[in-house]
Amino acid sequence: MDVETLARFQFALTIMFHYIYPPLSIGLGLVLVIMEGIYLKTKNPLYLQMAKFWTKVFALTFAIGVATGIVMEFEFGTNWATYSRYVGDVFGSALAAEGVFAFFLESGFLAILLFGWNKVGPKTHFFSTLMVCLGAHFSAIWIVVANSWMQTPAGYHVVGEGLSARAEIISFWDMVFNPSSMVRLAHTVIGAWLAGAFLIISVAAYYILKNRHMDFAKATLKIGLAVGMVAVILQAVTGDASAKIVAVHQPAKLAAFEALYHTEKGAPMQLFGIVNSKEEKVEYGIKIPKLLSFLAFNDFSAEVKGLDQIPKSDWPNVPVLFQTYRLMVAMWGIMTLLLLISIYMWRKQTLFANKWTLRCLVASVLCPQIANQLGWVSAEMGRYPWIVQGLLRISEGLSKSVTANQIISSIIMFAFVYFILFVLFIFLLNEKFKHGPDEQDVWTPYYQLQHYLEENE
């Protein structure tokens, strides 16, 4: 295997492993704000217990997310030095903004969130929870802005030539609000909300199946279903908007998603099938006439650019993208169906007795994780062969001195360390879930005093 393939594989390994944790942190941050906010309004200590329980899970995901994210920054220097030099002037401002507006905010209030239950008042603690949640979301903002600039560059000019060439910002706000950034940001954040929602749904369903912590589980499940239902609706809206932007700015990516080898007016939408790349067609599939044109351009007769207008050397991996894109959409469909069934059964008061539905809800924790991973694969592989769309090829962004043997050695090392981290994460998570919420977490001195004063007014 050549250096380019190995470097791409190593980056995919590290970022896909890292991407397990930030969506959980963002989603759980939102859930914590909701739980603690409900407690402040209702004074029901059950919601305080819930907030304390999920805060411990949040801390675990946050810690491993930070540890695994640091590795990628070193990778930019070791394997992608030319790319780092090319985009450094652009990414420097975005990543600096992440440090100031996101990481400092999140880490600054994290100690109060984790250890301040007995040291600060309820409203102060809720404020710290809100700041940590905002910090996690701000982190997503600047990372997605940087990645979106790679997809749809704007607000820059290129100075220098050859290995000395680099992109420089000429308009910071044009760079931030590049054509795809806000839609991709919304799509990414909502995917994180789904990850958090389905984690608490899964655990709540497990407790109900085991007939343990029933009040805790029912209240948790109710919040999870509500957040999940809102998120899947918004995800459909942002997914549609994102696809329209891809159609305009990255037609080769859309053509690969749909295995559209030939430009067509009134292009059909392939629901599923198997791509025959040799004969350049989709076999054993079902398609809906003109639907792709309508979804991409709101016009059933619109022309959709096919791969025949792209040099063949610049084609992405069509068979892989065709399937990953559909699997991602299928995960959304499964989540939506499960939520609708669960909410319907909740209203009919049959959900808690239906073991098959509860088992499906336990397993559903995998759906948003799979969807998020497949979404990242689709977005990044769809840009091939460009590392910065239309400006810098992947092959041009590699470090000139790194060797295949060096990358193989680091891949083996990372794989071993990540395997240990993942096993540790699953073990600690499993121990926490088996133990369940602590009864003593219902009250703290501040909450006891507040409750006493309210009872004796």
Side-chain angles (χ1 to χ4, degrees), residues 36 48 52 110-126 128 443-449:
E36 203 168 341
L48 174 61
K52 285 187 156 189
L110 184 63
I112 301 175
L113 171 64
L114 298 179
F115 308 112
W117 296 104
N118 298 323
K119 297 176 175 62
V120 299
K123 292 182 181 178
T124 302
H125 192 276
F126 176 71
S128 70
W443 299 107
T444 67
Y446 277 103
Y447 292 94
Q448 285 179 327
L449 177 60

Side-chain angles (χ1 to χ4, degrees), residues 393-408:
R393 292 178 177 269
I394 294 173
S395 57
E396 297 169 343
L398 288 166
S399 300
K400 305 308 176 186
S401 59
V402 69
T403 65
N405 287 337
Q406 290 171 332
I407 298 177
I408 290 173

Side-chain angles (χ1 to χ4, degrees), residues 111 139 168 255:
S139 182
E168 288 185 349

